[in-house]
Amino acid sequence: MSSRSSGDFDDLLAANREFAETFDLAGFDGVAHAGIAIVTCMASRIAPLQMLGLTPGDAKIFRNPGGRVTPQALEALVLGVHLLRVERILVIPHTRCAMASASLEELRERVGASAGQDASWQSFGVVADQEAALRDDIRQVRSHPLIPESVAVGGFLYDVDTGLIDQLL
Ligand SMILES: [Zn+2]
């Protein structure tokens, strides 16, 4: 492995060295100590652990644009439930999500304009109706043959303007 030192990440690596000075999670196992798994959006304004009163080690977190239950999210949830002690699953999309407020065409146009080239081939998981999508996602989790009924599954909406989470399902 060659070591890279372009300098692009120096500020972050410096911050990491400070972080490591008070690091106290060494030797920590990989299970979800609070028995929680969260599926939520990649949005930078969402702090999945803090918004639920959790800390590192408590939860498995799967994030993607829109906070959708994709095949990979299901893969993570199955692993979480069977190998990592997950007992409660929260699916948490959020208000003012870009994936729910733009059409596929709009996103392709905006990305294409930024890239200076055609982006019409790029797929984006746009959400036409957030509540319907959430219902669908929760149904997928609940009906998964490897996720037992003993696991609690909830569908929520995070309000990015108030910080409040509303349970919808
Ligand atoms: Zn989002």
Side-chain angles (χ1 to χ4, degrees), residues 40-46 64-67 93-100 130:
T40 192
C41 185
M42 65 188 272
S44 49
R45 50 195 162 182
I46 295 180
N64 60 27
H94 65 96
T95 59
R96 298 209 272 128
C97 182
M99 303 311 288
Q130 254 185 330

Side-chain angles (χ1 to χ4, degrees), residues 79-93:
L79 286 169
V81 165
H82 290 285
L83 305 183
L84 304 164
R85 243 188 271 160
V86 166
E87 295 162 338
R88 289 188 286 171
I89 294 170
L90 298 88
V91 181
I92 317 179

